[in-house]
Amino acid sequence: MQVTALGWALTIGVILALLALDLVVGTVRPHAVGFREAAAWSVFYIAVAVVFGLVFATQVGWDYGAEYFAGYIVEKSLSVDNLFVFVIIMSTFAVPREHQQRVLTFGIIAALVLRAIFIALGATLLSLFSFMFLLFGLLLLWTAVQLYRHRDEDPDVENNVLVRSCRRVLPVSDTYVGGRLLARIDGRRVVTPLFVVFIAIGGTDILFALDSIPAVFGVTEEAYIVFVANAFALLGLRALFFLVSGLLDRLVYLSSGLALILAFIGVKLILHWGHGLDSRVPEISTPVSLAVIGAVLAITTVASLLKSRRDPAAKAHAGAVLGTPTHAAHGEHRPPDH
């Protein structure tokens, strides 16, 4: 598939315009977002993504259109796991509700930039070295196994390397100082807890990009489709956070479902690599991928809601790919040190 420079420019222009709109809504007028507002923006961003996919498919063909929608669904499902971690970060640092939009918008911008870099790098590596499909596949299988093993744990934000380094090097104030990143208190220049929150979210975005980019390359090899699928999935993340943050605890099997999806895509990548060596090795088609991913998400959601109804005490977790220290695994989070 060939995308002209004009096509790239128009696409990036639309994404930047939507990002600017999100930035204006989230930072110019800080406020607590209600359910109706969050629902309206969520519907808007999903509608934009669907309309783009339909227009894109009519222009380049439904084979590529199916790849876009498969990639979008994969990234949208993985972005829900992002939300889990964002909720943990917000609660760990007690971010005031009126400043949460600003934090989320920053997280989306950072994620877009980081993923654009990883997409360019990934596309280059895949075009130069076919064995990268094998490495990406093995990475996803390892991630899937780790995520399943630690499905009942949450990431330990307090022990994030970037957060610890930030606190060790920089003076941090005790209050949010009106939502500013930097402040002067008693004549001393300090960073606020909001700055530390941004560092935590930025570090989290790096880890998610390392997993999500190989995952979406598992359903399409087109860098353009990988980019737009990621972009449209992330653009609705701010509104989705406020819409479903109260429901996230009920998705008790989400980490297990995501682990299964990552494992499936990992196998798909490995088979694709093997098919390049020997045509007798089977490949998994995009329609089959779309059906499997959709079925796993549907079954996971329904099973989670049924489990929550039968056992109201059951609580969902984001899953910790790298595992967590003992105190974190048991929910014993230390209070932030300032």
Side-chain angles (χ1 to χ4, degrees):
M1 185 185 73
Q2 296 294 326
V3 180
T4 64
L6 178 60
W8 273 103
L10 289 175
T11 302
I12 293 174
V14 169
I15 292 170
L16 288 177
L18 291 170
L19 187 60
L21 176 63
D22 210 45
L23 188 62
V24 169
V25 172
T27 61
V28 171
R29 189 173 61 88
H31 63 287
V33 179
F35 180 83
R36 286 188 178 182
E37 181 182 349
W41 280 111
S42 294
V43 170
F44 169 74
Y45 281 115
I46 292 174
V48 168
V50 171
V51 169
F52 174 87
L54 295 175
V55 173
F56 176 69
T58 59
Q59 296 295 315
V60 300
W62 284 99
D63 287 343
Y64 288 125
E67 290 183 5
Y68 163 77
F69 281 111
Y72 175 74
I73 291 173
V74 167
E75 292 304 313
K76 201 68 174 177
S77 62
L78 290 173
S79 71
V80 175
D81 213 32
N82 283 53
L83 294 182
F84 264 112
V85 181
F86 286 170
V87 168
I88 293 169
I89 292 173
M90 300 286 192
S91 60
T92 299
F93 293 97
V95 179
R97 191 168 177 81
E98 64 269 20
H99 300 313
Q100 290 181 5
Q101 284 204 74
R102 186 181 180 190
V103 172
L104 288 169
T105 303
F106 166 82
I108 293 169
I109 294 173
L112 276 172
V113 172
L114 289 169
R115 293 187 188 198
I117 294 172
F118 280 111
I119 288 168
L121 180 61
T124 302
L125 290 174
L126 289 174
S127 64
L128 294 176
F129 310 106
S130 62
F131 68 84
M132 290 303 300
F133 286 104
L134 173 62
L135 294 183
F136 279 4
L138 293 175
L139 172 63
L140 290 181
L141 285 177
W142 178 84
T143 302
V145 171
Q146 290 295 100
L147 181 60
Y148 185 78
R149 286 182 59 202
H150 302 287
R151 63 191 181 279
D152 295 326
E153 301 172 11
D154 289 320
D156 186 15
V157 178
E158 286 293 326
N159 281 321
N160 180 288
V161 174
L162 293 176
V163 172
R164 285 160 51 197
S165 299
C166 177
R167 283 179 165 160
R168 189 179 300 116
V169 173
L170 301 173
V172 183
S173 68
D174 295 325
T175 64
Y176 278 89
V177 196
R180 285 183 285 173
L181 298 180
L182 304 173
R184 185 176 294 278
I185 298 178
D186 297 330
R188 186 187 182 202
R189 199 74 169 173
V190 298
V191 300
T192 71
L194 197 62
F195 182 89
V196 181
V197 170
F198 282 174
I199 295 297
I201 286 183
T204 300
D205 283 334
I206 293 175
L207 294 178
F208 276 112
L210 288 172
D211 293 336
S212 65
I213 298 306
V216 74
F217 268 116
V219 295
T220 179
E221 296 179 38
E222 301 293 337
Y224 178 82
I225 296 177
V226 173
F227 175 73
V228 293
N230 268 275
F232 284 115
L234 287 172
L235 281 174
L237 202 58
R238 179 189 62 84
L240 190 63
F241 172 87
F242 293 102
L243 181 65
V244 304
S245 57
L247 303 175
L248 287 175
D249 282 349
R250 301 178 63 188
L251 300 177
V252 293
Y253 296 125
L254 177 65
S255 291
S256 298
L258 291 179
L260 185 58
I261 290 174
L262 291 176
F264 170 77
I265 298 175
V267 171
K268 184 178 187 297
L269 282 169
I270 293 172
L271 289 176
H272 178 76
W273 170 77
H275 184 79
L277 300 178
D278 187 339
S279 60
R280 291 173 296 181
V281 177
E283 283 197 285
I284 301 175
S285 67
T286 299
V288 171
S289 299
L290 193 55
V292 170
I293 293 166
V296 170
L297 289 175
I299 293 172
T300 297
T301 302
V302 172
S304 295
L305 296 178
L306 290 176
K307 172 68 174 178
S308 296
R309 179 175 296 181
R310 291 194 305 266
D311 182 11
K315 182 179 180 297
H317 296 274
V321 173
L322 300 179
T324 58
T326 302
H327 68 82
H330 292 284
E332 300 173 14
H333 293 290
R334 294 170 301 172
D337 51 325
H338 299 297

